[in-house]
Amino acid sequence: MTKGIAKENQIVDKVKEVIGKSVLEIEIPRPRRIFILIDKKAFGKATHYLTKKMRFSHVSTITGVDVGKEIEVIYHLNRGGTIELSLKVRVAKDKPVLPTIIDLIPGATLYEREVHDLLGVTFEGHPDLSPIILPEGWPPDVYPLRKEWTLKKVQKRIMKGGKQ
Amino acid sequence: MSYPTIRIPFGPQHPFHIEPEYFMFEVDGERVVSVKPRIGYVHRGIEKAIEDRTFIQNLYLIERICGICSHAHTTCYTQAIEEILGVEIPPRARFIRTIIAELERIHNHYLWLGLAAHEIGFETLFMYTWRDREIVMDLLELLSGNRVHYAMNTLGGVRRDITPEIVEKIRKGLDALEERMRYYKKIAMTEPTISKRANGIGILKPKDALALCAVGPTLRASGIKRDVRADDPYIAYSEIPFNVITYDRCDVISRLFVRCDEVFESVNIIRYAMEHLPEGKIRIKVPRRVPEGEAVSRVEAPRGELIHYAKTNGTTKPERYKVRSPTLGNIPSLCKMLVGGYIADIPIVIAGIDPCFSCTDRMAFVNVNNNKQWILSGEELRRYAIKWYRKE
Amino acid sequence: MGLFKWARTRSPWIIHFNTGGCNGCDIEVMAALTPRFDVERFGIIIRGSPRHADMLVVTGPVTRQVRDRLVRIYEQMPEPKFVIAVGTCAISGAPFMGCYNVHGGIDAVIPVDAYVPGCPPKPEAIIDGIVKLIPKLRAG
């Protein structure tokens, strides 16, 4: 569908200008929605450009997805309430590390902590990655949204007593 | 070296502080120096469970993420999946979804007004607003069969239609709700109890609101004109004229007025929608299996921007489903508002963001000067605050 | 009938606790206090402390982190005491059954005397459940 996505195309072109070959995949499924997968090495440059130069200064949330050997971290950035640009970057599951973006957008703080809790991604430079979503006493090696931690496996590990 | 600790055995449950929660405050005398939130108490593991259920089963689970924004959640969900499926629901369904969404907003704001009144000890206002709230609950029950959890949304549209008789009843109900809210707004503007507790309290400057990514009435009460219904229209909002309400005093009273005025806007949106309700089907059939894809869905829930991210894999169950409720979006701003304020302001400032966890039942305090620690239940803090302000 | 029994059955005192539900049942429990349903006309009063309560009204599917507090509240209540599970979550866990963090039903944790089904049950149903336990209080 190409109707009415001129602005979105412009944005993607600008990002390509700045980080070139590090843009791996682009999807513009409809007006006001952009999905860009980038190479991790361009992460700092891309986030700085989008948040400071292109005014994508609102982070709606950050999603972590287990995609097998890697964890895909998606930054859902918004400009002026309208265009939602989902910036995706993948990190190795055995060493999932990304720099924090709270120096660019302080409001990202709890979202990074949430991805840390549920998928074990470390955000370098974040002053406090203590549990925010998971309850007190949760075993630190259990990342419930990783595929290898099936529902049954998580349940068995954390529940004591009760019907289940 | 151990410091003397004073523990007030924390109160048991109070009916008005319904969801268990946790905040840790560092204080210096009567002033809050820092806040640390921990929301693990309400963790249920919903995102994981969603991956284990079919798309239809998930309708019922996602609806129950929150009993007060349940239609917002299912609207956000059905939109995401319908987008991946590449289907457009019938226009009549879009309008019905909008009518329910706005009734839900009116319900939420009336409920909130009552709870905020209770927070500052204004019991009469709580009783009045909750009595009037019954008007909108009756309308929702008439439309959907249930007072809470309307289950109106399904994949492909809505499940029940609106008859002309129901339209008439809604019109009458809206007239009453509008009139009552005018009365409450007047009280809010003139009652000294309210202004003492809410004027100039819980300040959130626009710059901070934006940097901390605040959403909803909290953001709009700092003068920022952002509303998903206007900026990123969905269901029928691009076809219905309405105003985005902002106030620029950046305090709790602004947040109150934003919600009052939003009720008036909701009333008008519903009137317009009923007047221009398109004919035709209310739903279309969609396949059980959803092709591989992803979508980001955004909705202006009564409490603010609600965002869902859906990833599908060609089966009957989602690959990944992410939900970010508006309250989580406002917690950093809440912490900012609380720091530098009085302990006695904590209950109303927390209430001011209309949190989806209610004012906590467990709040821990540490005095930075002598390391004294104590825990207060939400009810104990509420009573402390009321007493403190009576002395002022 | 002894004085205490008379006083207790004249006006059962309730304590309410949410074990991790969506709040839907809680707002209907609260609505029961408001003028339209006005549970106080039956002499039913919601109290703040389990030490003064005759009945524990519980909602929610009992998350793992709340379980111990639920047990503690139950233990703090003096005999005779009764528990009402309000809502489908409190009865069986409902849509949260199978979630990794959820016990699923109050009676997995403490004994329950009355079940009020619904998602959520209407305030009338909740009041009905409470009122139905009054003969048990009298007999107890």
Side-chain angles (χ1 to χ4, degrees), chain A:
Chain A
M1 168 163 77
T2 48
K3 80 170 165 155
I5 56 171
K7 213 181 279 181
E8 290 78 352
N9 274 315
Q10 259 175 20
I11 292 170
V12 168
D13 288 341
K14 286 229 174 78
V15 173
K16 276 199 231 165
E17 265 171 50
V18 172
I19 61 172
K21 286 211 182 69
S22 291
V23 174
L24 305 175
E25 272 169 40
I26 298 167
E27 243 335 299
I28 304 180
R30 66 155 173 98
R32 305 192 297 272
R33 295 291 184 267
I34 305 174
F35 293 84
I36 307 185
L37 173 65
I38 64 167
D39 191 314
K40 180 179 167 178
K41 63 177 194 269
F43 179 74
K45 229 179 173 182
T47 47
H48 187 271
Y49 182 70
L50 283 168
T51 59
K52 294 298 168 191
K53 299 286 194 267
M54 293 224 73
R55 295 177 297 117
F56 280 88
S57 50
H58 174 87
V59 56
S60 300
T61 192
I62 304 175
T63 303
V65 187
D66 181 340
V67 291
K69 292 218 180 77
E70 291 176 304
I71 295 183
E72 183 174 90
V73 183
I74 313 177
Y75 295 76
H76 302 281
L77 304 170
N78 188 285
R79 177 167 86 181
T82 53
I83 301 185
E84 192 79 19
L85 186 152
S86 298
L87 182 73
K88 303 162 142 198
V89 61
R90 292 189 180 167
V91 291
K93 204 188 240 186
D94 51 14
K95 192 165 187 257
V97 180
L98 276 171
T100 181
I101 62 162
I102 63 171
D103 50 332
L104 298 168
I105 309 181
T109 176
L110 298 185
Y111 305 139
E112 287 184 351
R113 284 173 71 182
E114 189 181 359
V115 175
H116 175 81
D117 273 6
L118 299 173
L119 284 141
V121 176
T122 303
F123 295 92
E124 268 171 350
H126 194 297
D128 174 19
L129 285 177
S130 60
I132 181 75
I133 289 284
L134 293 176
E136 219 151 285
W138 188 274
D141 59 319
V142 178
Y143 300 117
L145 283 180
R146 289 199 183 183
K147 296 290 183 189
E148 59 264 28
W149 279 104
T150 60
L151 255 180
K152 277 207 159 57
K153 219 170 155 199
V154 177
Q155 226 167 44
K156 220 166 149 212
R157 181 66 193 275
I158 67 163
M159 296 291 272
K160 53 172 194 308
K163 259 186 195 154
Q164 315 237 316

Side-chain angles (χ1 to χ4, degrees), chain B residues 250-304:
Chain B
C250 308
D251 57 3
V252 173
I253 203 89
S254 284
R255 290 163 207 139
L256 193 157
F257 287 140
V258 166
R259 293 187 179 98
C260 291
D261 286 0
E262 282 188 358
V263 168
F264 303 133
E265 289 302 314
S266 292
V267 166
N268 289 331
I269 292 173
I270 300 171
R271 282 186 182 139
Y272 189 100
M274 293 194 306
E275 199 109 358
H276 298 83
L277 194 58
E279 296 297 316
K281 291 205 286 204
I282 57 170
R283 66 190 283 193
I284 53 170
K285 225 164 182 260
V286 299
R288 278 188 316 128
R289 232 168 262 278
V290 177
E292 227 177 285
E294 61 188 346
V296 164
S297 180
R298 295 168 76 225
V299 150
E300 185 74 26
R303 294 168 164 133

Side-chain angles (χ1 to χ4, degrees), chain B residues 151-169:
Chain B
M152 283 293 277
N153 284 331
T154 187
L155 291 165
V158 295
R159 290 169 64 233
R160 289 167 70 128
D161 206 343
I162 300 189
T163 64
E165 292 79 22
I166 293 180
V167 168
E168 212 20 67
K169 290 214 164 82

Side-chain angles (χ1 to χ4, degrees), chain B residues 12-19 115 118 358 379, chain C residues 14-17 26 29-30 33 46-48:
Chain B
Q13 301 333 101
H14 185 275
F16 303 115
H17 298 140
I18 35 196
E19 257 181 295
L115 290 182
H118 171 73
S358 215
E379 173 60 12
Chain C
I14 311 269
I15 176 186
H16 163 239
F17 185 55
D26 305 302
V29 169
M30 283 165 66
L33 299 173
I46 294 207
R47 282 276 129 221

Side-chain angles (χ1 to χ4, degrees), chain B residues 10-21 40-46 48-49 53 60-61 63-68 107 111 115 126-128 130-131 133-135 137-138 141 146-149 303 356-358 361-362 383, chain C residues 15-31 33-37 40 46-51 59 61 63-66 69 72-73 76 89 94-102 119-124:
Chain B
F10 71 84
Q13 301 333 101
H14 185 275
F16 303 115
H17 298 140
I18 35 196
E19 257 181 295
E21 228 306 89
Y41 240 74
V42 284
H43 185 68
R44 284 166 291 181
I46 288 178
K48 188 77 177 181
R53 284 151 213 242
Y60 299 100
L61 178 58
E63 191 171 34
R64 286 156 180 79
I65 292 175
C66 173
I68 298 162
H107 167 248
L111 182 142
L115 290 182
F126 163 71
M127 288 292 172
Y128 274 28
W130 274 56
R131 180 203 59 191
R133 193 189 131 240
E134 291 295 326
I135 301 173
M137 296 198 87
D138 279 347
E141 187 175 8
N146 202 358
R147 286 159 54 94
V148 178
H149 295 320
R303 294 168 164 133
C356 205
F357 50 80
S358 215
D361 144 85
R362 267 191 358 150
R383 283 200 223 127
Chain C
I15 176 186
H16 163 239
F17 185 55
N18 174 358
T19 62
C22 74
N23 267 190
C25 288
D26 305 302
I27 61 177
E28 293 294 64
V29 169
M30 283 165 66
L33 299 173
T34 57
R36 175 146 162 198
F37 306 100
E40 292 197 12
I46 294 207
R47 282 276 129 221
S49 166
R51 299 183 200 282
T59 60
T63 57
R64 173 184 158 272
Q65 55 272 30
V66 127
R69 278 175 66 203
R72 219 170 25 244
I73 286 173
Q76 281 176 349
C89 281
F96 302 108
M97 215 155 50
C99 285
Y100 53 59
N101 216 14
V102 158
C119 190
K122 296 176 72 158
E124 294 100 321

Side-chain angles (χ1 to χ4, degrees), chain B residues 298-311:
Chain B
R298 295 168 76 225
V299 150
E300 185 74 26
R303 294 168 164 133
E305 177 201 23
L306 169 64
I307 180 168
H308 289 195
Y309 166 75
K311 184 170 185 189

